[in-house]
Amino acid sequence: NSSQVVDTVLAKLLSLTDQTSELYELIDATNDIVIDEVQAVFEKNGQYNALCKLYANTGDEEKLLECWAKYDGLFVSIIFSC
C-alpha cells in the first residue's frame, strides 16, 4: 500500500530530524504508519511519547501498556492527555 510507505517514511524522517510537532500532527491525523517499522527509530530518537500515541490511536492497549511500563516516568503528560 503506497500510503503506508509514504506515512511510515515520513514518520521516520520527522523523528530523525526532531520535528516533533509535525510528527504528532501526522500521528493524530488519519494515517497508515506501520508501527513495527517506526518503533526502533522512535526509540533511538527518544520519541517515546509518539510511540505511545501511535499505540493509543490504533487501540493496541497491550502495546500501549508495555510502552508505558518500559519507559516509566517519561509519560506522565500523555497519561493525563489521553
Side-chain angles (χ1 to χ4, degrees):
N1 181 329
S2 62
S3 63
Q4 285 181 323
V5 172
V6 171
D7 286 353
T8 302
V9 170
L10 181 56
K12 287 180 180 182
L13 289 172
L14 293 172
S15 176
L16 289 168
T17 57
D18 292 322
Q19 296 182 52
T20 305
S21 299
E22 292 85 354
L23 178 59
Y24 290 170
E25 287 178 28
L26 175 64
I27 291 170
D28 289 338
T30 302
N31 66 69
D32 288 322
I33 298 170
V34 179
I35 297 175
D36 291 341
E37 293 289 323
V38 299
Q39 180 180 357
V41 174
F42 283 14
E43 289 174 344
K44 182 178 179 182
N45 290 290
Q47 295 285 356
Y48 308 113
N49 194 37
L51 185 58
C52 283
K53 286 172 78 68
L54 271 177
Y55 289 135
N57 289 352
T58 60
D60 192 338
E61 293 176 2
E62 182 177 341
K63 288 284 191 179
L64 176 60
L65 291 174
E66 286 176 16
C67 190
W68 279 341
K70 187 173 182 180
Y71 305 108
D72 186 32
L74 297 175
F75 301 110
V76 173
S77 64
I78 193 172
I79 292 170
F80 293 107
S81 66
C82 287

